[in-house]
Structures are given as C-alpha cells and as structure tokens.
Amino acid sequence: MDFNGKAVEGVVSVQPIVRFDSSGGFRSTMDDCVREHPLLVQLDGVPIVRVVLSPYRLEEFVVGFLVNEGFIEGPGDIRSIEVSGGTASVFCSPSRSLVAPGNETAVLESTGATRLEPRPKTLKKPGALRPGPLVTSEVVFRCMKSLDKMPIHRRTGGTHCAVLFTAEGEEVFGCEDIGRHNAVDKTVGGAIRAGAELKHSWLAVAGRLAADMVRKPAASGIPLIASLAAATYDGVELGRRSGLTVIGHCKKGSFNCYCHPERIKDYRPVA
C-alpha cells in the first residue's frame, strides 16, 4: 500500500493514555492517534469547500474531489495547484468557466465538509459507464480483504480506506483518511494523476454507501463500487439511475448486489 515511513510520521502522533483491561485493570501507556488537518479549497479564487482530512496526499485529494464532484473533467482542466498551510488554491484552464464569485452557499454534508459552492451536475448519462462484465465475485472477495491491511488503520484504527483495483484484482492506487469520502477522493485523484484508466477499474471501500459516496465513482467514470458495509436507499437509487454497480455487505463469502449485477462476470440471472 502507498505509505512510507516519513508520511506515516506526519499523519500519526503518539499520545499518553490510561488503558483499562478487564483482566489487568488500569495502566499507563502510549497510543498512536491520527492527526487532523483543516483545508479550504479555492477554485479560480472562489472558496468551494472546507474539509478536515488526514495531512498527506493533499493534492491528490484536491484533484479527486474536483473530478468526483463534477467541477472538472480531469487533470487537463487544471492549470496549477498550490497547497500552502490550510489552503489549496486551484486555477483552471481559461476554457473552463466553473464557478461564479458571490454565489456561496454553506452546506454541511455527511462528510463533515462544509460546501461553499453548489455542486455541479455530476452524474454521467446512463450508458456512459463501462458496460458489460467487469470482475468476478472471487476477485471482489479477495480484494476486499486488503482493506483490513491498510497500515495506518492497522496501527491506529482511526482511518477509512479506499483502494482502486483492476478487473484482475491488481491494486491501482489506495489511500487512507479520517474521512471515508476523503479517502475516495484521494484514491481517485492519485489514480488519475498516475494515468490510470478509471473506466476499467473498480473501487473497494469499507464504509456505508450513501448517495454522496455513490455519486463519486459515478461522476468519475468508475463502473463498480463494493463495500464491507451497507448501501442506503438513496445510494442504491442513485446507482441504479447512473448505471453504477453497487455492492455492499461484502464479507464472509457473500455480498449484496443492489443494482446492475451484469458487471459481475459469473452472475447468472435468477427468477
């Protein structure tokens, strides 16, 4: 997974704690805790979102967020990104007229982020996502197990994980973050910057699949998302409308495919 020792030290800090164990009582010890970092994202000088995230892969987050939320089509729309302290300033190509100053609307989302600029229309038209079989159920089960092996989560228990895989189960890019939406944005942004073909990949996550989570792969062109947790009603409906395959409760040898099961290679229609 994508994490070197230097990056870990910037994301994790040690805190003194008192630990209780039913067999041994109380004792003083140390514990690894994930750090938080506030970030304001500005697009062409207009604030669009305030978010709290883990302090690494910030440029990847910005690229992924802008693509997943429909502000840009891809990194080619970006002229420059500068991250300084708690502000990320993005300037786009002159041909992209994206946001209008003075049209700020503060919205608190389930991400914990405060949106300052309304989201553009993000959903791909039905059929825009890669059609036809993509991945086998065996590959899905095998890859989902890797979510428990992400190093910061194993060390702290304080992060959400997202990994993008090929149809054959090879890892394309993976990230962790204190926010599950942030982890997806970082993963998608990192994959895009690495030149990955999102339409031939699928996304594995651990958290629930609410509509604002399902919207991200649908907007970026990823045809399938699978999670260890459940999908919400609105998440399923959004997946159904956008043509996205939505899989949840993926563990212990079973999963629920809420919509578009035709992308699972070994799927056979049932009565």
Side-chain angles (χ1 to χ4, degrees):
M1 293 297 175
D2 175 58
F3 239 114
N4 56 50
K6 183 177 180 181
V8 170
E9 294 310 313
V11 177
V12 177
S13 293
V14 177
Q15 289 281 8
I17 66 166
V18 173
R19 182 175 182 82
F20 175 78
D21 188 295
S22 59
S23 61
F26 293 93
R27 63 185 177 90
S28 296
T29 185
M30 307 296 287
D31 192 32
D32 293 324
C33 298
V34 181
R35 300 184 68 91
E36 302 176 35
H37 181 76
L39 187 70
L40 170 66
V41 179
Q42 297 180 331
L43 185 58
D44 290 330
V46 179
I48 59 170
V49 70
R50 290 191 183 96
V51 65
V52 177
L53 72 174
S54 301
Y56 90 111
R57 293 290 190 188
L58 300 185
E59 290 192 11
E60 283 80 358
F61 165 78
V62 172
V63 172
F65 176 84
L66 294 178
V67 170
N68 287 340
E69 298 299 316
F71 285 99
I72 63 174
E73 289 290 329
D77 293 330
I78 297 176
R79 190 168 76 243
S80 66
I81 299 178
E82 180 180 348
V83 179
S84 179
T87 302
S89 300
V90 184
F91 290 92
C92 285
S93 304
S95 61
R96 297 289 295 177
S97 178
L98 299 167
V99 293
N103 188 31
E104 295 188 2
T105 304
V107 179
L108 185 64
E109 301 195 323
S110 71
T111 61
T114 304
R115 179 177 299 280
L116 303 176
E117 185 68 27
R119 175 190 287 113
K121 294 181 179 180
T122 61
L123 288 183
K124 304 286 183 183
K125 294 179 181 179
L129 297 175
R130 181 187 188 276
L134 175 70
V135 65
T136 66
S137 55
E138 184 277 328
V139 167
V140 172
F141 286 126
R142 171 163 50 85
C143 292
M144 295 301 289
K145 293 178 181 179
S146 68
L147 293 173
D148 290 332
K149 299 177 182 178
M150 297 290 274
I152 301 303
H153 179 75
R154 288 176 63 89
R155 180 171 168 181
T156 68
T159 60
H160 295 274
C161 310
V163 184
L164 193 70
F165 291 99
T166 67
E168 294 73 33
E170 297 179 1
E171 182 189 332
V172 177
F173 202 90
C175 273
E176 304 181 65
D177 195 274
I178 57 171
R180 57 196 174 92
H181 300 74
N182 301 340
V184 169
D185 289 333
K186 287 181 177 182
T187 296
V188 171
I192 289 174
R193 298 186 83 187
E197 286 278 352
L198 300 186
K199 65 182 179 180
H200 297 301
S201 306
W202 63 280
L203 187 65
V205 299
R208 72 182 181 277
L209 299 176
D212 54 3
M213 177 67 88
V214 171
R215 181 181 292 112
K216 292 180 180 291
S220 61
I222 298 170
L224 184 151
I225 185 171
S227 177
L228 300 175
T232 67
Y233 176 88
D234 295 284
V236 173
E237 287 299 300
L238 193 150
R240 197 184 311 278
R241 294 195 307 270
S242 64
L244 178 76
T245 300
V246 178
I247 294 175
H249 286 296
C250 187
K251 48 192 171 183
K252 296 181 180 179
S254 67
F255 59 66
N256 294 347
C257 185
Y258 296 96
C259 54
H260 301 291
E262 64 274 7
R263 286 199 181 88
I264 305 169
K265 288 183 176 181
D266 45 325
Y267 164 71
R268 298 293 180 270
V270 293

